[in-house]
């Protein structure tokens, strides 16, 4: 049996690994292309933390599927909208075009939908700088 400190250390390493996976897959720019609020650095960091923590807590088969999809996502993004090729209307940003195109591809569509929902929950529902209202004091 492992000690609680060893378990906590292992969980922290797993969480950091998932944060790296989320970032290296290129999900934060795709989220920002879909939702302007996720372009803000503090909100994006909270979104990455929440998404990584949720994915790290999934059962092993689900973690494996998400890890494989995130590993293939950068290649799929290049194939969906090559950087040198003009596409879409002139006002649209590349991350938004890539997200739009990948949202039609089975597997990647689910990855984008699930990760965006998790990112929004983490960034917009979570407190970025602590509680926004001071704690209530009891009347004596």
């Amino acid at each position: 049996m492992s000690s609680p400190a060893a378990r906590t250390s292992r969980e922290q390493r797993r969480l950091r690994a998932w944060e790296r996976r989320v970032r290296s897959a290129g999900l934060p720019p795709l989220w920002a292309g879909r939702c302007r609020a996720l372009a803000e650095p503090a909100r994006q960091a909270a979104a990455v933390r929440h998404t990584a923590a949720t994915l790290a807590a999934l059962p092993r088969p689900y973690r494996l599927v998400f890890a494989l999809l995130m590993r293939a996502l950068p290649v799929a993004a290049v194939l969906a909208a090559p950087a040198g090729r003009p596409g879409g209307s002139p006002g649209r940003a590349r991350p938004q075009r890539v997200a739009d195109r990948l949202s039609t591809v089975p597997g990647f569509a689910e990855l984008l939908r699930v990760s965006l929902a998790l990112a929004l929950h983490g960034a917009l529902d979570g407190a970025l700088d602590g509680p926004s209202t001071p704690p209530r004091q009891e009347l004596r």
Side-chain angles (χ1 to χ4, degrees):
M1 190 177 278
S2 64
S3 70
R7 219 173 313 138
T8 302
S9 175
R10 200 171 34 247
E11 289 169 0
Q12 288 298 319
R13 282 194 309 270
R14 178 186 287 177
L15 181 58
R16 284 192 304 269
W18 276 98
E19 287 177 2
R20 283 190 305 271
R21 284 183 185 123
V22 167
R23 283 189 173 90
S24 67
L27 285 170
L30 295 177
W31 297 335
R34 282 286 172 104
C35 182
R36 196 171 305 194
L38 293 175
E40 197 176 301
R43 291 197 188 278
Q44 198 171 85
V48 168
R49 275 192 310 274
H50 182 74
T51 303
T54 303
L55 295 175
L58 291 174
R60 185 175 295 202
Y62 294 102
R63 285 194 318 257
L64 177 64
V65 169
F66 275 103
L68 290 172
L69 282 171
M70 287 193 300
R71 175 105 9 144
L73 185 62
V75 174
V78 168
L79 294 175
R85 195 180 107 220
S89 61
R92 294 185 73 193
R94 183 175 185 276
Q96 186 177 1
R97 281 196 320 268
V98 170
D100 289 346
R101 289 185 180 162
L102 288 177
S103 67
T104 63
V105 179
F108 294 111
E110 287 76 17
L111 172 65
L112 290 174
R113 188 180 71 243
V114 167
S115 69
L116 181 61
L118 291 171
L120 285 169
H121 179 70
L124 303 177
D125 290 345
L128 297 176
D129 300 315
S132 58
T133 58
R136 298 181 87 189
Q137 299 203 1
E138 288 186 34
L139 296 175
R140 293 184 188 209

